[in-house]
Amino acid sequence: MIHKSTIEAVFETARLEEVIGDFVQLKKAGSNFKGLSPFSEEKTPSFMVSPVKQIWKDFSSGKGGNVVAFLMEHEHFTYPEAIKYLAKKYNIEVEETEQTDEQKQQADERESMYLVSEFANTFFQKSLHKTEEGKAIGLTYFKERGFTEETIKKFSLGYSPDTWEAFTAEAIKKGYQLKYLEQTGLTVVREEKQFDRFKGRVMFPIQSMSGRVLGFGGRILTNDKKTAKYLNSPESDIYHKSKVLYGIYHAKQSIAKEDNCYLVEGYTDVIQFNQTGVKNVVSSSGTALTSDQIRLVSRLTKNITVLFDSDAAGMRASIRGIDLILEQGMNVKVCSFPEGEDPDSFAKQNTVEELSEYLNENVQDFISFKASLLQQESKNDPIKKAELIRDMVTSISKIPDVIKREIYVRECSRIMDISEDVLFDTLAQLRNTDIKDQRKQQKQNQKALEVVKSEPSKAPKVNEQYELERKVIEILLLYGEREEEFEDLILKENEEGELVLEPEVHVAKVFEKIYLDLQEDEIEFTHDSFKEVYGLLIERLQQDDDFKIESFINQIPPEMASEITSILMSDDKYDLSRWDDMEIHVKLKEYSVSRYVSDIILNLRRFLISQKVEELSQEVKAQDTEDNQESIQDIMDYLSLKKILSEKLNRVV
């Protein structure tokens, strides 16, 4: 268990915008920050961060909460893991009691796999630095590659001993279950035997954006042609190679700062670039680039520069990746290295100034790059040249933005010396074909699902009481402590015997006004979450003279976080739309809090009166005519009161 003092220190120190900024590219939007949702695919930002309230809200997925809730949602941390991550980030010492065997057993399978991977990472590093075999073979190899001691430790490089069960035996001895060693792929189990997957290899841990070890890449150092040079962890519940980029943990801040991401092919390319001083670089780890990997980068920047070897295979792989990057709405440039060089060797031989200068001077737009590369293959062959042009237009057709498409068509026309009209016609054909294929697929999917013709769906009915209760919680959170002048309406009988509401002014705190009014009317919340939050809020507001929203949110159960954040961030949707820029000015509630509070309470009373009238009406229908006079009179009285409330609210009955 983590001590309460540590948790309090973490919440006091951690800055939400800094933590989320490690994972999502944020831009200023009024007093808040906005960015693309890290939980769904989108091109228009719907993710909001409030530095003042220290909460975030993703309007596309409905998720929200405080800094811990973000880490739990995004990184799938448990609550203690999120606290420990923040403590490490802000150099806070974690005080905790040792876990019991029972607590260890309660850890879920996914967490057990993470723990096994972390143990393996530590084991491989110790083998590299503390054993004679590791120093002689692994450490020597890394130093021959030009890696410094600091770089080796930074990237947690390691070595797996060249014996069949060195790692597996040690892990089992330390209490880790064979089940999880097998599930992570660290141990291969064959009937009654088990052995280390990465036997005799130097190890590259593959980390998530938050630094958790997901899997490993291992390189063999012998010249055995029957054995794969590189071996990766198999797919597991925590490692999906198509969704991971090697080096993203070390590169994320630099990518966001430089607003550009260099994409290379191998582990050593990333490490050598980083050591030289260019840190905004990641690798697809030898696998074909995927949409998920590109979207991972898009959270940090919209710009990717693909770096590739000068060999033909490297160039062809880059061309395949370019179309995929364009399809995701990203801006892509390319850069090749001199013949015989790759990113690793070139970075090793140059200073950071020389490397940066080379990249800046030799980077090409994808159109220019494709033209120069493919023209070498087509030479004077008109058929091949036509295929080349069509290939270039195919790439342009992948771009979602119509303005960018037109600019690239004109650039292609200039480079290839062909009329724009022909290119635009070809582009239209390609895009129409894509659209037709998409529509055909949609129709097939629809037909497959269409068993019975469904009735037209009706608009969902608004739950008025839910919305009113939600508003009460919102008022308490935002203005509960404020002292306001309220005009209470006292129900009295005038000289004519009619019920009328007479105003009576008094000063009170907002939470006192709400609490007393709801008590007087014996109004209880019907929504369970609101009922619980209401009780906690009233208790805190009564006890705490300096009520702070962020402190309250940090103390509520995580499952309440999404609902509370939705309430608190509802007005911040205006920042996403930038309505002020379009001269659409939204009236803020704080300018008329007392009126806002009174209106909500009056509306709640009015709603409950309507419910009571409906209830009595049903009773009248069920009663004999002689027995329902009293109920009819009650209905008339309630309707009279409802009319008065409606007039006060400027509503039509």
Side-chain angles (χ1 to χ4, degrees):
M1 292 286 289
I2 300 174
H3 285 185
K4 188 178 179 182
S5 59
T6 299
I7 296 172
E8 288 173 350
V10 164
F11 279 122
E12 285 174 9
T13 310
R15 298 302 304 165
L16 180 69
E17 62 275 22
E18 292 174 354
V19 175
I20 292 181
D22 290 343
F23 303 91
V24 181
Q25 187 180 24
L26 299 174
K27 292 183 179 179
K28 199 77 171 142
S31 61
N32 298 325
F33 290 93
K34 66 179 179 180
L36 293 174
S37 167
F39 303 108
S40 60
E41 295 177 36
E42 62 180 16
K43 293 185 171 61
T44 303
S46 71
F47 185 81
M48 294 294 294
V49 175
S50 171
V52 176
K53 300 169 187 170
Q54 284 294 292
I55 56 174
W56 59 275
K57 179 66 183 177
D58 179 25
F59 291 101
S60 65
S61 67
K63 296 174 181 177
N66 58 12
V67 64
V68 168
F70 177 81
L71 293 171
M72 290 173 72
E73 285 285 358
H74 191 270
E75 293 302 303
H76 304 289
F77 284 174
T78 60
Y79 187 88
E81 285 174 340
I83 294 294
K84 288 177 182 177
Y85 172 87
L86 293 169
K88 184 179 179 182
K89 179 178 175 66
Y90 289 97
N91 298 314
I92 298 168
E93 186 178 349
V94 177
E95 292 184 50
E96 61 178 325
T97 55
E98 192 174 342
Q99 278 191 320
T100 64
D101 291 339
E102 187 180 350
Q103 287 171 324
K104 284 179 181 177
Q105 288 175 2
Q106 288 173 349
D108 60 22
E109 293 205 356
R110 188 183 175 87
E111 182 55 30
S112 297
M113 293 172 73
Y114 279 124
L115 292 173
V116 164
S117 298
E118 290 291 349
F119 170 76
N121 192 30
T122 302
F123 174 85
F124 295 140
Q125 289 180 73
K126 283 183 179 178
S127 297
L128 181 73
H129 295 285
K130 304 292 184 184
T131 68
E132 293 304 316
E133 181 188 346
K135 290 182 203 174
I137 301 174
L139 205 54
T140 299
Y141 167 77
F142 286 133
K143 289 188 174 178
E144 284 176 354
R145 296 301 299 247
F147 299 158
T148 65
E149 194 78 36
E150 183 184 357
T151 297
I152 292 169
K153 288 180 179 175
K154 180 179 180 179
F155 283 87
S156 304
L157 304 181
Y159 176 73
S160 180
D162 195 13
T163 54
W164 287 108
E165 283 190 79
F167 164 73
T168 303
E170 183 66 15
I172 291 173
K173 180 182 174 183
K174 293 292 183 182
Y176 294 95
Q177 294 180 36
L178 182 62
K179 171 185 175 182
Y180 300 119
L181 297 175
E182 183 181 17
Q183 285 180 2
T184 52
L186 288 160
T187 300
V188 178
V189 179
R190 293 281 185 272
E191 295 176 354
E192 299 300 318
K193 297 180 180 179
Q194 62 253 354
F195 55 89
D196 298 348
R197 179 180 296 274
F198 295 105
K199 167 184 174 294
R201 293 176 183 265
V202 287
M203 302 298 293
F204 301 84
I206 300 166
Q207 296 170 284
S208 70
M209 199 179 273
S210 66
R212 302 204 85 180
V213 177
L214 306 174
F216 294 88
R219 188 193 193 281
I220 198 164
L221 301 180
T222 62
N223 293 319
D224 187 351
K225 294 182 180 179
K226 294 181 180 178
T227 307
K229 184 178 177 181
Y230 276 97
L231 184 65
N232 278 358
S233 294
E235 292 276 315
S236 71
D237 285 347
I238 63 171
Y239 177 58
H240 305 280
K241 61 183 178 182
S242 65
K243 297 181 179 181
V244 177
L245 286 166
Y246 181 74
I248 191 74
Y249 171 64
H250 298 289
K252 60 190 177 187
Q253 290 180 329
S254 183
I255 291 171
K257 183 179 177 182
E258 301 294 333
D259 197 20
N260 182 44
C261 177
Y262 290 113
L263 181 65
V264 294
E265 189 176 348
Y267 302 128
T268 57
D269 296 333
V270 170
I271 297 170
Q272 199 66 257
F273 255 64
N274 197 287
Q275 180 172 284
T276 302
V278 177
K279 301 182 187 300
N280 52 325
V281 57
V282 298
S283 163
S284 58
S285 306
T287 62
L289 191 65
T290 68
S291 300
D292 284 324
Q293 290 172 332
I294 296 166
R295 283 194 287 272
L296 196 61
V297 175
S298 73
R299 297 177 189 173
L300 303 168
T301 181
K302 300 299 283 183
N303 305 301
I304 292 182
T305 302
V306 182
L307 308 180
F308 53 87
D309 306 352
S310 54
D311 66 291
M315 290 183 178
R316 280 194 293 273
S318 297
I319 288 177
R320 287 193 296 271
I322 285 171
D323 286 1
L324 203 56
I325 296 169
L326 291 170
E327 205 166 30
Q328 294 298 317
M330 303 280 280
N331 305 316
V332 59
K333 292 185 178 181
V334 291
C335 181
S336 61
F337 291 93
E339 191 171 345
E341 297 280 8
D342 58 29
D344 179 2
S345 62
F346 192 84
K348 184 178 178 180
Q349 296 165 21
N350 291 276
T351 64
V352 63
E353 291 79 17
E354 291 167 339
L355 178 57
S356 298
E357 184 180 353
Y358 180 85
L359 293 172
N360 291 333
E361 290 180 357
N362 291 274
V363 71
Q364 287 181 286
D365 186 270
F366 82 92
I367 285 291
S368 303
F369 162 73
K370 234 180 180 184
S372 61
L373 181 63
L374 298 177
Q375 273 182 324
Q376 294 172 18
E377 297 179 6
S378 63
K379 295 184 179 177
N380 297 320
D381 187 330
I383 301 298
K384 285 188 176 180
K385 185 175 181 179
E387 290 174 357
L388 158 65
I389 293 170
R390 189 172 183 85
D391 190 279
M392 292 169 72
V393 177
T394 299
S395 291
I396 295 170
S397 73
K398 305 293 183 185
I399 301 172
D401 188 276
V402 64
I403 297 174
K404 287 182 183 177
R405 284 203 303 269
E406 183 161 341
I407 290 170
Y408 281 122
V409 164
R410 290 178 177 172
E411 183 67 8
C412 184
S413 170
R414 182 187 66 77
I415 293 171
M416 302 307 296
D417 191 25
I418 188 170
S419 79
E420 289 180 12
D421 290 342
V422 171
L423 294 180
F424 277 118
D425 285 345
T426 306
L427 179 65
Q429 289 172 11
L430 288 169
R431 286 192 63 79
N432 285 337
T433 301
D434 288 343
I435 291 168
K436 284 178 182 176
D437 288 344
Q438 288 171 13
R439 286 177 178 169
K440 185 179 178 182
Q441 186 62 48
Q442 286 172 355
K443 284 181 179 178
Q444 287 175 348
N445 292 342
Q446 189 176 358
K447 193 172 181 181
L449 293 170
E450 197 177 64
V451 180
V452 180
K453 189 175 180 181
S454 59
E455 293 293 324
S457 59
K458 295 179 181 179
K461 188 177 179 181
V462 175
N463 185 332
E464 190 175 347
Q465 187 162 3
Y466 172 90
E467 295 299 332
L468 289 169
E469 289 178 4
R470 192 174 189 272
K471 287 293 182 187
V472 171
I473 300 296
E474 176 188 43
I475 293 168
L476 288 170
L477 285 165
L478 297 178
Y479 318 112
E481 257 202 328
R482 280 175 61 158
E483 202 166 69
E484 291 286 326
E485 192 175 82
F486 292 99
E487 183 184 272
D488 276 352
L489 297 170
I490 309 301
L491 191 63
K492 293 184 178 180
E493 193 174 302
N494 63 14
E495 293 177 1
E496 286 77 29
E498 297 173 335
L499 288 173
V500 293
L501 290 172
E502 290 188 4
E504 193 174 279
V505 177
H506 71 102
V507 175
K509 286 192 173 182
V510 169
F511 84 88
E512 293 171 340
K513 163 72 174 168
I514 290 173
Y515 178 71
L516 291 172
D517 279 9
L518 297 188
Q519 281 282 91
E520 184 182 342
D521 291 340
E522 297 181 355
I523 295 173
E524 289 189 0
F525 284 79
T526 57
H527 192 270
D528 289 339
S529 293
F530 292 155
K531 188 185 295 184
E532 190 173 356
V533 174
Y534 175 74
L536 289 171
L537 268 172
I538 293 298
E539 184 181 341
R540 282 293 304 278
L541 287 162
Q542 285 174 334
Q543 295 174 356
D544 196 345
D545 292 332
D546 186 25
F547 176 80
K548 287 186 172 63
I549 290 175
E550 54 268 33
S551 298
F552 177 74
I553 293 171
N554 293 339
Q555 292 175 16
I556 63 173
E559 56 270 18
M560 287 188 191
S562 182
E563 189 73 64
I564 295 298
T565 310
S566 297
I567 293 169
L568 288 171
M569 298 288 279
S570 58
D571 284 350
D572 294 311
K573 288 183 182 179
Y574 303 140
D575 287 340
L576 288 170
S577 305
R578 300 181 68 191
W579 286 2
D580 283 344
D581 292 354
M582 297 178 277
E583 297 189 1
I584 302 173
H585 303 291
V586 180
K587 185 178 179 182
L588 299 176
K589 290 187 284 291
E590 54 261 33
Y591 294 133
S592 55
V593 172
S594 60
R595 175 62 189 272
Y596 186 56
V597 172
S598 297
D599 280 2
I600 293 298
I601 293 173
L602 287 173
N603 269 303
L604 190 52
R605 284 172 172 163
R606 181 177 176 274
F607 171 77
L608 293 172
I609 287 170
S610 296
Q611 277 195 327
K612 190 64 178 176
V613 169
E614 178 63 28
E615 183 185 317
L616 289 170
S617 297
Q618 294 300 324
E619 287 180 11
V620 167
K621 287 179 183 177
Q623 290 173 352
D624 293 332
T625 308
E626 295 178 2
D627 299 331
N628 60 20
Q629 290 304 311
E630 188 177 338
S631 296
I632 291 173
Q633 185 58 50
D634 287 342
I635 291 172
M636 298 301 293
D637 290 342
Y638 277 121
L639 287 173
S640 176
L641 181 55
K642 183 180 176 183
K643 181 181 178 183
I644 295 168
L645 292 173
S646 298
E647 287 171 354
K648 181 63 182 174
L649 289 163
N650 295 316
R651 289 274 196 92
V652 177
V653 179

